[in-house]
Amino acid sequence: MDFGEPEHIGMLRDSIRCMLERHATREMMARWDEEDKVPRSLMQHITELGVCGMTIPEEYGGTGRDILGAMVTVEELSRRSMVIGTLYLMNACYGSMNILASGSDEQKRKLLPKLANGELLFAYGLSEPDVGSDLASVKTRAVPNDQGFVLNGQKIWTTNAHHCQYMIALVRTSGTTEDRHKGLSQVIVDLSLPGVTVRPIEDLSGDSHFCEVFFDNVQLDADAIVGAEGQGWEQVTA
């Protein structure tokens, strides 16, 4: 049925479906689901489709902004498995779209070309054990020091953090939880830093797509803040 989609979108759908039939058949997905292990190498096949650059301007190594194409990519990958769709989301949306929208010029120059090449996956650190969806009450705190910030706290329900190199986390950089919407910032956390512990959470089905992430005196550089300090609430609600 013709829904009036642009020609390149139809071609994109066909390319994604062909890739999945070669590298992520339904039989493969059933086995990976049973083993609770989807190969990270699938990201390479997704990258080869040229879709990782769809949320990134050409000046940063992308193919130019094509949000329709990016959302169709999510749709087609998720038709086979939400796990595969999420791999792409963690690159093109959690990573690229957030950095492009709120990141500093230096963060864009450093990270967007690698995201466009499919090299990086980002987790999103929002919920906490005592917070849930009440994001303005986050307790994880980044305290300024002479090297940047020292990060302490915990995030939970972070999708596939164990597959990611970075996290964008909403934290408190000033004020108290009584201030709620003030003093919140987003920070970029390299998940390989000392003091970071990522622990998958196994659900009743045996799957472990969600994680707890602990920060124990994690030293962040001064440029870890996404955009400017204190803009976290505006960024996550934009």
Side-chain angles (χ1 to χ4, degrees):
M1 184 178 295
D2 183 7
F3 292 99
E5 289 183 335
E7 182 179 0
H8 80 282
I9 293 297
M11 296 172 65
L12 174 62
R13 290 188 188 277
D14 289 342
S15 296
I16 295 171
R17 292 171 185 176
C18 287
M19 183 277 289
L20 292 171
E21 285 305 312
R22 292 183 61 192
H23 301 292
T25 65
R26 296 189 185 281
E27 291 76 19
M28 290 177 180
M29 280 308 311
R31 184 174 71 253
W32 294 334
D33 188 57
E34 183 176 350
E35 298 171 351
D36 189 27
K37 185 177 181 181
V38 173
R40 176 66 170 76
S41 59
L42 269 180
M43 195 61 207
Q44 179 60 38
H45 299 303
I46 294 172
T47 301
E48 290 169 355
L49 294 169
V51 294
C52 292
M54 285 183 167
T55 54
I56 301 175
E58 293 182 17
E59 65 183 294
Y60 296 112
T63 57
R65 299 261 285 170
D66 183 355
I67 301 304
L68 174 60
M71 295 305 101
V72 165
T73 300
V74 175
E75 178 185 37
E76 288 295 333
L77 293 174
S78 299
R79 282 164 59 93
R80 181 56 44 93
S81 169
M82 275 300 300
V83 176
I84 303 178
T86 301
L87 275 177
Y88 178 70
L89 280 171
M90 294 189 299
N91 170 272
C93 299
Y94 296 0
S96 300
M97 293 181 75
N98 275 306
I99 299 299
L100 186 63
S102 304
S104 66
D105 289 341
E106 178 60 27
Q107 288 165 350
K108 292 175 185 178
R109 287 192 296 269
K110 175 184 176 182
L111 297 170
L112 289 179
K114 293 181 179 180
L115 284 159
N117 290 333
E119 298 174 38
L120 301 179
L121 298 181
F122 274 68
Y124 218 170
L126 297 175
S127 294
E128 298 183 2
D130 298 323
V131 173
S133 60
D134 184 17
L135 299 183
S137 296
V138 298
K139 297 178 181 177
T140 297
R141 182 175 289 271
V143 177
N145 69 358
D146 56 359
Q147 299 177 57
F149 297 86
V150 176
L151 181 65
N152 282 283
Q154 179 185 356
K155 294 295 179 179
I156 197 169
W157 312 125
T158 50
T159 304
N160 285 332
H162 53 319
H163 294 315
C164 296
Q165 293 92 346
Y166 290 94
M167 171 189 284
I168 294 179
L170 182 67
V171 304
R172 192 163 295 282
T173 49
S174 64
T176 67
T177 54
E178 285 71 28
D179 295 332
R180 291 183 61 76
H181 304 97
K182 298 179 181 179
L184 295 172
S185 304
Q186 290 197 103
V187 294
I188 298 175
V189 184
D190 182 338
L191 296 177
S192 68
L193 286 173
V196 177
T197 301
V198 180
R199 183 182 302 163
I201 301 170
E202 185 173 307
D203 62 26
L204 292 176
S205 70
D207 291 336
S208 53
H209 303 307
F210 297 109
C211 297
E212 296 176 283
V213 183
F214 301 88
F215 308 112
D216 182 12
N217 291 320
V218 179
Q219 180 63 58
L220 303 179
D221 293 337
D223 61 359
I225 298 289
V226 178
E229 188 175 344
Q231 293 184 346
W233 187 252
E234 290 76 8
Q235 291 169 353
V236 299
T237 58

